[in-house]
Amino acid sequence: MLPEVEINRVLVVTAHPDDVDFGAAGSVALFVDKGVEVTYLLVTDGDAGGNERTLDNSGMAELRRTEQRTAAKAVGVTDVRFLGHKDGLVVPSIELRRDIARVIRQVRPDLVITHHPDRNYNNVAPSHPDHRAVGGSALDAVYPDARNPYAFPELLRDEGLEAWTVREVWLTGGSTPNHWVDVTEAMDRKLAALQSHVSQVAHVEGFVDFVKTRFAAWADQAGFASGHYAEAFQVVPTA
Ligand SMILES: [Zn+2]
């Protein structure tokens, strides 16, 4: 794995508002504590989500962008970017790879965190089609697109974006995690981030208990002491 001291910038690429907060906000909070710069890139605005049916789609998109910015602040992240693709309709595509490669070259992260592109047969929720499409395209953007100056030459020609090699990717939501981060001391901030998504979680009874149970189970799987919470990732070396 990449030594912690070599992680100075992290880019988190997700499909929807709230994905990063379920999968990785505790780990993000701990990175921010160490002075790491973290950027969020959201492929959609999550305009097909929510419980409130009086809003039209455009209202939901703006509301969810605002909720994600609030959630980001709860863990110390202020750089939040949106690509504006349509929620529920994301497919792996050349255009999406280029959009993600562009931000990789802008941010120049050491580590990218994104969705696992494979279907998890133990638990369907992490395998939303948008998640799989974003995870696959983000991995393709990491290798080969962002590091190959001949891929999307317009990024260099028109925007001056030099090739960049991301050295490691952490995948969320997969069935074969191999790295667990103890997020116990960041659990309050992770919960605050999750609860910032008022349109998604305010109506969910027992939400806090649900989250605590789920992340305590990861800690248990990792062999951490009882009363601890963990986030789980599959680490992919990409140097
Ligand atoms: Zn999602």
Side-chain angles (χ1 to χ4, degrees):
M1 277 189 72
L2 213 51
E4 217 165 66
V5 294
E6 291 185 26
I7 301 176
N8 297 305
R9 287 184 301 278
V10 174
L11 174 64
V12 185
V13 186
T14 61
H16 312 113
D18 80 18
D19 291 337
V20 61
D21 299 303
F22 275 107
S27 303
V28 166
L30 298 174
F31 276 129
V32 171
D33 285 348
K34 293 174 191 125
V36 176
E37 289 174 39
V38 180
T39 298
Y40 288 175
L41 177 63
L42 285 94
V43 170
T44 82
D45 298 328
D47 47 288
N51 191 45
E52 177 57 73
R53 285 288 152 236
T54 59
L55 290 168
D56 64 19
N57 274 358
S58 61
M60 180 57 82
E62 193 43 48
L63 174 60
R64 295 206 69 188
R65 285 188 182 214
T66 302
E67 289 175 348
Q68 183 62 79
R69 289 194 190 95
T70 304
K73 275 198 195 106
V75 293
V77 174
T78 54
D79 187 359
V80 183
R81 308 180 190 195
F82 295 88
L83 294 179
H85 290 239
K86 291 299 287 177
D87 185 5
L89 302 178
V90 184
V91 291
S93 68
I94 299 297
E95 290 72 24
L96 180 55
R97 281 166 52 183
R98 185 192 56 219
D99 287 351
I100 297 170
R102 172 185 288 116
V103 178
I104 289 173
R105 291 188 186 187
Q106 290 169 340
V107 172
R108 303 164 78 85
D110 307 295
L111 168 69
V112 165
I113 299 175
T114 191
H115 300 284
H116 203 297
D118 296 341
R119 191 183 294 276
N120 183 336
Y121 288 100
N122 305 317
N123 180 8
V124 292
S127 301
H128 187 291
D130 288 355
H131 295 184
R132 288 183 281 127
V134 168
S137 295
L139 278 166
D140 291 342
V142 165
Y143 177 84
D145 301 332
R147 70 186 63 189
N148 179 359
Y150 300 100
F152 307 124
E154 66 272 25
L155 294 179
L156 181 56
R157 188 186 61 226
D158 302 340
E159 302 175 44
L161 294 170
E162 298 282 354
W164 180 257
T165 298
V166 176
R167 288 179 293 157
E168 194 165 272
V169 176
W170 294 4
L171 302 172
T172 65
S175 56
T176 52
N178 59 5
H179 178 57
W180 293 264
V181 177
D182 187 331
V183 297
T184 310
E185 66 175 86
M187 198 59 190
D188 287 349
R189 285 174 280 168
K190 179 182 175 78
L191 281 165
L194 280 164
Q195 288 176 307
S196 303
H197 300 280
V198 174
S199 67
Q200 309 302 300
V201 305
H203 59 282
V204 179
E205 225 171 286
F207 179 72
V208 169
D209 286 341
F210 159 74
V211 172
K212 285 185 167 176
T213 302
R214 180 160 148 191
F215 290 90
W218 285 123
D220 190 44
Q221 187 185 72
F224 298 155
S226 84
H228 281 237
Y229 301 99
E231 289 171 346
F233 303 92
Q234 181 169 341
V235 174
V236 182
T238 57

